[in-house]
């Protein structure tokens, strides 16, 4: 997957888009490039990647925040992992009846400029009634405190969903402000490359800037069930084609 991503980035022409992905700045999220990425492979830059002149400050390879959101459908190397027996049996063991991958992301967490991801819950973005989102976060490189590993509040998944991320005719927004969290409550999730972190949809988690000289590549999937629950029409993801289930039980 890392080799294939290297090729995809090499082939990508940054002048074709300068869409910057930010979990802080809602306005940036509203452009069509973001919405269209649901069924495409799209490239999103770090906020700090551009100088005042609007040009990249360093090579594109070191400027990207992530690539998303349909790697699992379009790219064979990613599809192979995403629909593997390992992933399917994991979801089956968690009680899923007809799980589908709703989005996939290759996250770079670049040295020096890899931005923070503010505390959030995955169910906010991929809401079903009842809630069924599970995040699968595969470390492609070692992730530690210095290079921006995940942090989470243990047990926070038992306290319910705090807020939702909604799409309407004006774009996207959260339905309420974020609560303030005490950083003392978070614990680091340091993992070796090849480790899979399974994230409950209500778990409050975040990551900080990469302050090291090493990247922290990861591949993440978000899975929801499609039996016994309903996909919320006001979610940001609006697909033209129904996703293929991992299995039907």
């Amino acid at each position: 997957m890392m080799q294939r991503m290297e090729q995809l980035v090499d082939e990508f022409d940054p002048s074709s888009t300068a869409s910057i992905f930010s979990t802080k700045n809602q306005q940036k999220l509203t452009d069509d490039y973001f919405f269209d990425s649901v069924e495409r492979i799209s490239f999103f830059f770090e906020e700090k990647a551009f100088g005042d002149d609007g040009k990249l400050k360093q090579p594109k390879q070191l400027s990207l925040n992530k690539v998303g959101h349909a790697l699992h459908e379009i790219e064979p190397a990613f599809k192979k992992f995403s629909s593997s027996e390992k992933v399917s049996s994991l979801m089956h063991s968690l009680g899923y009846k007809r799980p589908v991958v709703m989005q996939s992301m290759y996250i770079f967490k670049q040295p020096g400029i890899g931005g923070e991801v503010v505390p959030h819950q995955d169910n906010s973005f991929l809401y079903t009634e009842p809630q069924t989102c599970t995040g699968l976060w595969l470390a492609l490189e070692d992730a530690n405190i210095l290079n921006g590993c995940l942090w989470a509040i243990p047990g926070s998944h038992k306290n319910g969903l705090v807020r939702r991320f909604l799409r309407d005719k004006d774009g996207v927004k959260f339905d309420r402000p974020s609560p303030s969290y005490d950083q003392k409550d978070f614990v680091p999730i340091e993992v070796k490359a090849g480790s899979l972190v399974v994230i409950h949809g209500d778990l409050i988690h975040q990551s900080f800037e990469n302050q090291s000289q090493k990247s922290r590549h990861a591949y993440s999937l978000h899975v929801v069930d499609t039996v016994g629950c309903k996909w919320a029409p006001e979610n940001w993801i609006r697909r033209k084609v129904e996703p293929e289930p991992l299995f039907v039980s």
Side-chain angles (χ1 to χ4, degrees):
M1 288 192 280
M2 291 179 77
Q3 278 180 329
R4 180 58 185 139
M5 183 51 65
E6 197 178 332
Q7 291 175 329
L8 288 170
V9 173
D10 283 346
E11 293 162 7
F12 166 62
D13 174 12
S15 64
S16 62
T17 169
S19 182
I20 300 173
F21 182 76
S22 164
T23 53
K24 284 183 176 171
N25 188 337
Q26 295 313 322
Q27 197 51 49
K28 292 278 190 290
L29 298 182
T30 58
D31 77 328
D32 291 339
Y33 186 77
F34 178 66
F35 292 140
D36 291 344
S37 72
V38 171
E39 291 170 282
R40 294 182 186 173
I41 294 171
S42 302
F43 297 77
F44 299 89
F45 289 103
E46 284 290 352
E47 280 191 344
K48 295 179 180 176
F50 295 91
D52 295 335
D53 59 359
K55 293 194 170 67
L56 288 175
K57 291 194 275 192
Q58 52 189 358
K60 61 182 176 180
Q61 285 81 355
L62 296 172
S63 303
L64 288 164
N65 169 287
K66 70 173 191 178
V67 174
H69 288 92
L71 287 160
H72 64 287
E73 292 182 321
I74 296 170
E75 277 296 323
F78 293 91
K79 188 172 188 173
K80 185 181 173 188
F81 170 78
S82 309
S83 53
S84 64
E85 179 57 37
K86 276 186 175 178
V87 169
S88 292
S89 61
L90 170 65
M91 300 319 295
H92 190 267
S93 75
L94 292 174
Y96 282 72
K97 300 283 186 280
R98 189 183 177 276
V100 298
V101 177
M102 286 309 294
Q103 64 175 34
S104 52
M105 295 183 281
Y106 191 104
I107 305 158
F108 296 92
K109 194 65 89 162
Q110 306 284 7
I113 67 164
E116 68 173 322
V117 177
V118 298
H120 67 282
Q121 299 165 296
D122 294 339
N123 271 329
S124 297
F125 302 92
L126 303 162
Y127 188 83
T128 62
E129 185 68 57
Q131 294 156 39
T132 62
C133 181
T134 294
L136 305 178
W137 192 94
L138 179 71
L140 299 175
E141 298 180 300
D142 295 352
N144 53 53
I145 290 173
L146 204 56
N147 73 358
C149 69
L150 295 170
W151 293 68
I153 301 178
S156 57
H157 65 291
K158 296 174 182 171
N159 300 329
L161 187 61
V162 173
R163 60 182 186 156
R164 288 181 57 193
F165 187 71
L166 306 174
R167 177 174 172 182
D168 61 22
K169 63 183 190 321
D170 300 320
V172 287
K173 61 179 183 298
F174 285 102
D175 62 351
R176 61 193 60 176
S178 175
S180 53
Y181 297 104
D182 189 337
Q183 291 301 331
K184 293 198 306 289
D185 295 337
F186 286 86
V187 299
I189 305 172
E190 295 189 292
V191 293
K192 291 286 181 199
S195 307
L196 184 75
V197 183
V198 183
I199 302 172
H200 187 286
D202 279 348
L203 183 76
I204 294 162
H205 58 290
Q206 65 177 345
S207 65
F208 296 104
E209 290 190 347
N210 181 353
Q211 297 177 336
S212 77
Q213 294 308 303
K214 282 188 162 163
S215 58
R216 190 228 65 188
H217 290 200
Y219 178 56
S220 101
L221 301 171
H222 288 97
V223 182
V224 299
D225 214 343
T226 57
V227 167
C229 63
K230 184 170 168 282
W231 176 257
E234 60 275 15
N235 285 335
W236 79 268
I237 290 180
R238 312 254 168 108
R239 290 186 56 105
K240 296 179 180 74
V241 180
E242 286 295 308
E244 287 288 315
L246 294 172
F247 60 82
V248 180
S249 64

